Structure formats: C-alpha cells, structure tokens
C-alpha cells in the first residue's frame, strides 16, 4: 500500500497503570469500574529494575515504564534490551505532565528558603527541571530526535499526541514516543484539594510513526491518527472534527464530563434510560454513542488524560475490528444468494473514507477554561505485509 507523506499511525502502546496492563484491560476497567479495594500501586521496579530508580522521582519512573513497553510493543526495542534498533535520531520524545515533579520543585524551593542551597543534593536537583521526564526517557533509550515537555493544562495529553504526530508529518523524525504521566503525593493532594485515591498514579505511552516508515520495517499499525482540533468550546471542537452531525463509534469524554457509569449509553435531551445516564442539553454527540471516561477507572489524570484516552481507544478499535471480522466471516459462510459486504478498493485505488461510526472521538478540556482539544482515532485501512522490503537506514532518518 502506498501511504501519503503525512499519514501517521500508532504502532505501539504502553501502560504503567494499576490494574490495567493492556489497552483492552483499560477499556474494560473503564466500562465496568471495579468495586472494592483499590489495586496495588504500579511496581516500577518490576519493569525497569534498580538502575531505573536511581535518583529519579516517581513520575519519571512511571514514564520510563510506559515508554519502555510502548517501544517494545512497536518492535523498536528487543525484549531483552533497552536501545532502539533504528537510528536514535529518527525517534523523538514528547511528554505531558502538569504535576509530575511538582513535589521535587516545591520541596527544593522550601529547602532553599528555610536553609540554603548548600543543603541540596546535587543528584536530586535535576529532578526539579520541568523537562526531566522527557529527558530521562530519551537518555535511557538513546533517542536523539526532538525532545519536548508539555505542561498545558487539561488538554496537555492530546496536545502532546498532536505535536508528536506533527514532528513525524513534518519530517523531523520518522517516529516519536508520546508519554502522559501524573502521580499523587502530599504536595499534589494539597494543591488540588483531593485525596490520593481520587488521583492518577500512572502513565501511558504511544508510539506515533509515519505510515510508510512503519510499513518499511514491517511494523503493524494498531490505529491511524485522524484530524486534531483545539477550540474554545466542546461543541465547536466536535463540530469541526465531525461536520454535519456525524456520529462517531465511541466518545471518550473530557474528565468527569457526565456523572454515571462509564460506557453507559445515555439518551438525548437529558432523558434517562434504563441502565444509562442522562445527557445534558446541548451535548454535541448523539445520545446513542457509548461514552467512556477513563478517569472513572484510574483517577483524575490531568496532563496524562489524552494519552490514556488514546490507549483506551486503541483497545476499542481492536474490539470493534474483531467484531467486524466475525460478522464478515458469518456473511462469507451464508451461502449462495446471500448479501456479502463489498470488497475493499483494488490495487492502486484510493481507499474509501473511514465512516464516522468506525472512528473514536477523543476530547479533553473544559468549556469554562476556553480550552478543548479533540482528536479522531481511526482503524488502519489494512495491515502491512509480514516481510516487506525494508527502506535503507541512514544516520539522519528524518529525510523525506
């Protein structure tokens, strides 16, 4: 298949979240939140070992865990190593966290104010830098492409996915690992006025990659990135992504957008339905579209939300794809005279547009803050061959 120069796909997903180790598990846990005791905190030592813990704060360790799994899932790192198997300058890093190292920064400032800078440990001081999370991920895996750290409020996670894809589409890198991470501690709890049990202590990561580069190295794409929008309000954002009132297959809502069970199917106009929840007036997504709020499962996620939503959307696309495959199998076995779904476009033909009903709508932000970001995640048009011809690898892989 021939891909356009700007087509970007997701080739890897990694999670460091208590009680959810795969996109499908995150989706299930969001749809049916587990009652009873909270799951144990994610054990970072089990994934990155003692070396990964030395002089690093909790948020950085969680980010390293998610990034490692995403890079391995994308087959950019072997199962027994940590160095990427492609040129390091072909991989960028974009991280998102609003509160990740807040404790280090505040405690460092307090120590200087109460005593002096002489009392600070030179080994822990780098953790006060705002870009420490993105930097450590790059250092750990030898990623020498552009390195960005976003702290952009409620939309930060989706903004990070967008900027990672922008780096790829612009030809700066062939691929980028995008991480969203937050943790809770006494400083964060005091600032937000919320208990630890209400807040995320975890991370998610996705690898976004140029479709032609993924195909050249034989990687399997699990989703394709659609358009991204950033608007002052939710309605305008959704209308820009899905004109003419088209209904997506699923809606990953902003944090705590609607009360009630995650994944329930609400009715329009605020009318409750059995087993569902009411939809407020003016909601821009039709009532029959399933809703998922991942924060109901993992806690308020702040800057990590958009990346977590993308990971859960990959799980939804996988489930929807499996269902479509099963239905196609039933149609093929129905016998002569039965209606069979039309085949896809022939060789060299342009692929048909992906129907809105097969796309995942992801939104993050707050109408009251005049900042809402939205992204469409789509199924991939087809799978790459098992062993396609590989493109030559060069020292600067960002060449077009």
């Amino acid at each position: 298949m021939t891909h356009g120069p700007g087509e970007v796909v997701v080739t890897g997903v990694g999670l460091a979240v208590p009680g959810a180790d795969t996109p499908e598990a995150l989706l299930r846990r969001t749809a049916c939140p587990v009652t009873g005791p909270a799951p144990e905190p994610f054990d970072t030592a089990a994934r990155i070992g003692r070396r990964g813990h030395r002089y690093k704060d909790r948020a950085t360790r969680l980010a390293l865990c998610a990034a490692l799994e995403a890079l391995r899932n994308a087959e950019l790192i072997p199962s027994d190593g940590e160095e990427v198997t492609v040129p390091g300058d072909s991989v960028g890093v974009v991280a998102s966290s609003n509160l990740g190292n807040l404790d280090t920064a505040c405690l460092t400032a307090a120590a200087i104010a109460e005593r002096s800078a002489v009392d600070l440990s030179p080994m822990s001081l780098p953790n006060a830098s705002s870009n420490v999370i993105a930097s450590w991920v790059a250092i750990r895996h030898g990623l020498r492409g552009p390195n960005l750290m976003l702290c952009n409020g409620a939309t930060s996670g989706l903004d990070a996915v967008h900027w990672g894809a922008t780096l790829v589409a612009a030809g700066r890198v062939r691929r980028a690992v995008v991480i969203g991470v937050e943790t809770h501690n006494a400083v964060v709890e005091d600032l937000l006025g919320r208990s630890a049990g209400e807040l995320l202590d975890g991370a998610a990561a996705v690898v976004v990659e140029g479709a032609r580069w993924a195909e050249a190295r034989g990687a399997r794409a699990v989703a394709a990135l659609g358009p991204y929008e950033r608007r002052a309000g939710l309605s305008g954002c959704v209308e820009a992504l899905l004109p003419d009132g088209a209904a997506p297959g699923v809606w990953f809502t902003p944090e705590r957008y609607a009360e009630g069970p995650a994944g329930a199917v609400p009715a329009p106009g605020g009318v409750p339905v059995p087993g569902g929840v009411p939809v407020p007036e003016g909601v821009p997504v039709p009532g029959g579209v399933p809703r998922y709020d991942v924060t109901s499962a993992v806690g308020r996620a702040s800057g990590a939300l958009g990346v977590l939503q993308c990971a859960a959307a990959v799980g939804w696309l996988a489930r929807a794809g499996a269902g479509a495959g099963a239905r196609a199998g039933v149609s093929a076995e129905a016998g002569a005279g039965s209606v069979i779904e039309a085949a896809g476009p022939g060789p060299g033909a342009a692929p048909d547009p992906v129907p809105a009903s097969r796309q995942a709508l992801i939104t993050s932000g707050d109408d009251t803050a005049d900042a809402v970001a939205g992204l469409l995640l789509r199924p991939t048009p087809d799978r790459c061959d098992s062993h396609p011809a590989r493109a030559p690898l060069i020292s600067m892989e960002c060449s077009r």
Side-chain angles (χ1 to χ4, degrees), residues 323-334 341:
R327 289 192 298 274
V330 170
S331 297
E333 294 173 2
E341 296 181 5

Side-chain angles (χ1 to χ4, degrees), residues 59-300:
T60 299
R61 298 196 303 267
L62 287 165
L64 286 169
C65 290
L68 176 62
E69 184 175 79
L71 289 166
R72 283 181 174 165
N73 187 239
E75 298 182 347
L76 291 167
I77 289 180
S79 59
D80 57 350
E82 293 183 357
E83 291 291 321
V84 289
T85 55
V86 296
D89 47 17
S90 75
V91 190
V93 179
V94 184
S96 170
S97 183
N98 293 321
L99 308 165
N101 68 335
L102 182 66
D103 56 335
T104 302
C106 290
L107 294 174
T108 298
I112 294 173
E114 294 173 6
R115 298 183 296 277
S116 74
V118 177
D119 292 337
L120 299 177
S121 166
M123 304 308 295
S124 62
L125 191 57
N127 292 332
S129 172
S130 60
N131 70 332
V132 64
I133 295 170
S135 298
W136 268 122
V137 170
I139 292 169
R140 178 85 177 221
H141 301 296
L143 312 180
R144 299 189 300 276
N147 189 275
L148 305 177
M149 183 74 206
L150 273 67
C151 308
N152 204 31
T155 66
S156 190
L158 276 188
D159 295 337
V161 175
H162 165 66
W163 283 109
T166 299
L167 288 173
V168 173
R172 291 293 305 276
V173 288
R174 290 189 173 184
R175 51 199 67 90
V177 56
V178 182
I179 309 116
V181 59
E182 298 290 2
T183 187
H184 54 65
N185 48 59
V187 174
V188 172
E189 292 167 31
D190 183 63
L191 175 69
L192 300 182
R194 299 185 183 278
S195 65
E198 298 178 75
L199 305 173
L200 170 70
D201 177 52
V206 295
V207 174
V208 295
E209 186 166 4
R212 57 176 177 161
W213 304 127
E215 185 174 23
R217 66 182 185 87
R220 176 179 176 269
V222 295
L225 269 66
Y228 160 92
E229 287 287 340
R230 186 178 172 85
R231 297 294 177 98
L234 181 62
S235 294
C237 184
V238 173
E239 289 168 4
L241 290 169
L242 295 167
D244 303 323
V250 66
W251 180 23
F252 291 89
T253 69
E255 186 171 80
R256 309 300 163 95
Y257 176 72
E259 299 294 330
V265 181
V271 180
V273 295
V277 293
V279 176
E281 295 286 354
V283 173
V285 177
V289 176
R291 272 81 163 147
Y292 288 91
D293 178 3
V294 298
T295 67
S296 65
V298 300
R300 294 180 180 270

